[in-house]
């Protein structure tokens, strides 16, 4: 069960750290990138549920209590602003960051999971730096249509 929980949390982290969603949106399909984004949120939710079911979560970490208080105030002010200015309320999009916050706070509150997270963090960011050096070498850019930027002379 521990391996499954680790995979459920580290997959969204690796997707985010390597900007895989941006590559999918740019070169494959926007719909596929949105599907992977919501699948990652689903993975975090399932990981949270499994974490709560199979591990004794005795109390909510104090950091999470303060963040939940801040987020409640944030959503209250946002809803008041939406009602006042008659704008669209997109709660599904804005709930993504609190889901990640709650999920990763619970995940990182266990030392055994923290060790795996640090190892994957080091590997992922090292790989991202190697990719960055390679993309700079081939003059790759996400800001232009085909991905290859023109040289500025």
């Amino acid at each position: 069960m521990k391996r499954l929980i680790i995979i459920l949390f580290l997959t969204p982290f690796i997707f985010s750290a390597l900007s895989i969603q941006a590559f999918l949106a740019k070169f494959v399909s926007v719909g596929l990138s949105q599907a992977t984004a919501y699948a990652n949120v689903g993975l975090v939710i399932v990981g949270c549920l499994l974490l709560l079911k199979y591990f004794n979560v005795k109390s909510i970490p104090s950091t999470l209590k303060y963040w939940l208080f801040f987020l409640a105030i944030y959503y209250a002010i946002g809803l008041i602003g939406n009602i006042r200015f008659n704008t669209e309320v997109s709660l599904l999009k804005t709930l993504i960051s609190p889901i990640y916050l709650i999920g990763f706070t619970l995940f990182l509150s266990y030392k055994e999971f923290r060790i795996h997270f640090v190892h994957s963090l080091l590997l992922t960011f090292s790989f991202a730096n190697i990719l960055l050096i390679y993309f700079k070498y081939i003059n790759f850019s996400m800001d232009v249509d085909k991905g290859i930027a023109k040289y500025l002379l």
Side-chain angles (χ1 to χ4, degrees):
M1 190 54 60
K2 287 183 183 180
R3 285 187 186 168
L4 178 63
I5 292 173
I6 290 169
I7 290 170
L8 288 174
F9 279 102
L10 292 184
T11 303
F13 169 72
I14 292 170
F15 263 74
S16 297
L18 294 178
S19 297
I20 293 174
Q21 182 183 353
F23 281 101
L24 288 175
K26 180 85 173 172
F27 298 111
V28 180
S29 146
V30 174
L32 182 63
S33 72
Q34 289 175 346
T36 57
Y38 286 116
N40 285 337
V41 173
L43 289 175
V44 171
I45 291 172
V46 170
C48 271
L49 294 176
L50 289 175
L51 195 66
L52 291 173
K53 183 177 181 182
Y54 290 106
F55 289 90
N56 285 335
V57 179
K58 295 178 182 172
S59 65
I60 297 174
S62 61
T63 306
L64 187 57
K65 289 179 189 176
Y66 294 125
W67 273 106
L68 290 176
F69 177 71
F70 166 75
L71 287 171
I73 293 171
Y74 173 79
Y75 280 109
I77 292 171
L79 286 174
I80 291 169
N82 285 332
I83 292 168
R84 166 70 175 91
F85 295 108
N86 197 20
T87 58
E88 180 183 342
V89 179
S90 57
L91 284 178
L92 186 61
K93 291 178 188 175
T94 59
L95 284 177
I96 292 172
S97 58
I99 289 171
Y100 271 85
L101 172 75
I102 293 168
F104 277 95
T105 302
L106 290 175
F107 178 69
L108 294 174
S109 65
Y110 292 98
K111 186 174 179 131
E112 61 215 37
F113 294 140
R114 232 180 289 148
I115 293 168
H116 292 287
F117 183 77
V118 168
H119 290 286
S120 67
L121 177 92
L122 292 173
L123 288 173
T124 303
F125 285 153
S126 298
F127 182 68
N129 284 324
I130 292 168
L131 274 178
L132 177 66
I133 292 167
Y134 175 71
F135 288 157
K136 186 70 175 168
Y137 177 74
I138 65 169
N139 205 25
F140 179 80
S141 175
M142 290 289 286
D143 295 329
V144 294
D145 270 343
K146 302 292 182 191
I148 304 298
K150 295 179 182 172
Y151 287 104
L152 298 174
L153 297 175

